[in-house]
Amino acid sequence: MDKVSVIGAGAWGTALAASVAQTAPSVQLWCRDPALAADIRRLRQNSKYLPDIPLPDTLDPTSDLEAVCRADIILAVIPAQHLRTVLESMAGFLSKDTALVLCAKGIEQSTGKLLSEMVEEVLPGQPYGILSGPNFAHEVAKGLPAATTLAIQDQKWGTRIVKAIGHATFRPYLTDDVIGAQLGGATKNVLAIACGIVAGAKLGENARAALITRGMAEILRLGDRLGARAETLMGLSGFGDLVLTCSSVASRNYSLGFALGEGKTLEEILSSRHSVTEGVYTAAALDGLAKTLDIEMPICQAVHAVLTGRESVRQAAEHLLSRPFRDEKLAGFH
C-alpha cells in the first residue's frame, strides 16, 4: 500500500488526511506551526481550522517536513500564494518516485501562473496531479459522500493515487486535463464572491442564477484560450464546484462576498478569519489574465474592482447591467 502524507493542516488538508486515514494504516499531516501539531495530537481534532470533528488515531500530525516528504504520494494543500515557497522548502527532501497532488485552488497573483506551472518551475520532472472538485472540508471529514476530479497526465500514477485515496464516500474521477481541472476550481472562487455579494445586497435569486450561468461562460472562454477541454470545465472541478460554492455560506468565498454585500469592508472581513480566502487573490490574477489575453471576463473583473475599492457594489452592479445585449451562444465562447 502506498504511503500517503498531507502537507497543510488547514480545514481542507485536515479533512483529506482524515479521509485517507479511513483506509490507510497511517497518514502524516504536516503542520507549519509545531503548536498546532501538538494541539491536534492532544485533542484529536483541529480546533483552529476544523473544530468539533474527531480525527482518527491513525492520523499523525507533525511539523517535520523532511519526514512527511518520504511518502509515496503527497497531497499538497497549500494556498496558491504560498505554494512556491513550500515547494522550494520541499525540494531537498523529495524523491522523483514521489507523486505530488496539488489540492488547493488558485492562481499565483504576482505571476498569473497556475499551480502546475509552479511545480514545473520549482520541481522539474516531479510527477504531479491536480485534485479539485465540489468538496466542503467539514463534510469530507465527517465521511459524507463526495466526488472529485483527479487530473494527471501519467495514468499509471493516476490509478495508484485513486487506489490510495479513494473509497466508498470519496470518489475521485480521472482525467488528463490538468489545465481544465485548475481553471474551474480557481475561477469559481471569484464567482462565489460575486454570488455572495448578490445575496448580501439582497439583489435576488434571479441575479444569482444569472451570475452562475454567465460566470460559467467566463470559465469556458478562459479555458478555451488556455487549452482546457470544455467537458472538464463542465464536470466536477468546474460546473460542479461552481454550483456548490455559489450557493452556500459554508464557502469562504461566498460568505466573504455576502459580508461585502451587506456593507462590511474587506479589511473587517479578513481580520476576523484564520483561513485564506483564495478568491481575493485569484480575482487580481484573473483581472490581469483577462487583460493580457484579451478575454471578456466582466464578472471576475467587477469582483476585483469591488475588492480593491475602485467600485462600490452598486457601481459594479450598474456596470454589469449596462453591458450591451448579446447573443447567448456567441457570448459563451467569444
Side-chain angles (χ1 to χ4, degrees):
M1 181 176 289
D2 283 317
K3 180 181 178 183
V4 181
S5 292
V6 179
I7 293 181
W12 183 222
T14 304
L16 278 174
S19 176
V20 175
Q22 291 187 34
T23 55
S26 67
V27 178
Q28 285 191 308
L29 173 65
W30 181 75
C31 310
R32 181 180 57 84
D33 182 2
L36 178 60
D39 192 58
I40 294 173
R41 189 177 300 109
R42 179 173 58 87
L43 299 175
R44 303 314 305 171
Q45 67 171 271
N46 189 333
S47 57
K48 184 174 183 179
Y49 295 108
L50 200 66
D52 303 322
I53 296 180
L55 299 176
D57 292 337
T58 50
L59 190 157
D60 177 24
T62 179
S63 56
D64 185 342
L65 185 60
E66 181 177 3
V68 170
C69 286
R70 296 192 193 109
D72 302 298
I73 298 167
I74 296 175
L75 306 182
V77 196
I78 307 297
Q81 311 314 316
H82 303 289
L83 177 63
R84 187 181 294 274
T85 300
V86 176
L87 292 176
E88 290 169 348
S89 299
M90 295 168 61
F93 305 136
L94 275 180
S95 163
K96 292 296 183 182
D97 295 326
T98 295
L100 188 63
V101 183
L102 307 173
C103 306
K105 301 168 184 177
I107 299 173
E108 191 174 34
Q109 182 178 343
S110 60
T111 65
K113 293 188 175 181
L114 301 177
L115 309 185
S116 60
E117 294 177 294
M118 285 188 262
V119 172
E120 289 168 0
E121 288 180 2
V122 179
L123 301 170
Q126 194 75 37
Y128 73 86
I130 305 294
L131 189 76
S132 183
N135 308 135
F136 280 152
H138 64 282
E139 293 189 7
V140 170
K142 290 177 180 177
L144 298 176
T148 194
T149 295
L150 174 63
I152 189 166
Q153 304 244 324
D154 186 327
Q155 292 302 289
K156 289 183 179 179
W157 260 120
T159 301
R160 281 180 66 176
I161 294 167
V162 168
K163 185 177 179 181
I165 70 173
H167 50 78
T169 59
F170 190 71
R171 302 183 58 79
Y173 285 75
L174 274 171
T175 179
D176 61 359
D177 184 7
V178 296
I179 302 298
Q182 293 175 87
L183 291 181
T187 310
K188 65 87 192 178
N189 282 337
V190 182
L191 299 171
I193 292 175
C195 287
I197 290 173
V198 163
K202 295 182 171 55
L203 297 178
E205 291 301 304
N206 292 340
R208 185 175 66 85
L211 276 182
I212 292 174
T213 309
R214 300 311 309 150
M216 192 68 230
E218 294 190 15
I219 293 176
L220 288 167
R221 280 197 290 270
L222 181 62
D224 183 58
R225 181 64 62 87
L226 295 180
R229 295 199 297 268
E231 60 263 31
T232 307
L233 299 173
M234 293 302 298
L236 290 164
S237 62
F239 182 69
D241 206 0
L242 180 68
V243 170
L244 178 71
T245 53
C246 286
S247 55
S248 173
V249 291
S251 161
R252 292 193 297 268
N253 294 284
Y254 181 93
S255 62
L256 180 139
F258 192 96
L260 287 171
E262 289 184 313
K264 294 180 181 176
T265 68
L266 182 62
E267 292 73 19
E268 288 174 332
I269 302 164
L270 294 179
S271 66
S272 65
R273 296 187 167 202
H274 295 301
S275 300
V276 174
T277 306
E278 195 61 61
V280 173
Y281 306 98
T282 304
L286 288 176
D287 182 66
L289 279 175
K291 292 171 181 173
T292 301
L293 301 174
D294 193 25
I295 303 171
E296 285 196 25
M297 301 188 71
I299 299 172
C300 290
Q301 291 182 293
V303 169
H304 183 235
V306 171
L307 291 172
T308 56
R310 294 202 320 269
E311 290 186 351
S312 66
V313 168
R314 180 174 180 176
Q315 288 170 328
E318 288 175 351
H319 286 164
L320 288 173
L321 293 172
S322 64
R323 285 172 53 79
F325 294 109
R326 300 281 300 275
D327 179 274
E328 184 173 35
K329 182 178 179 181
L330 292 177
F333 292 94
H334 301 289

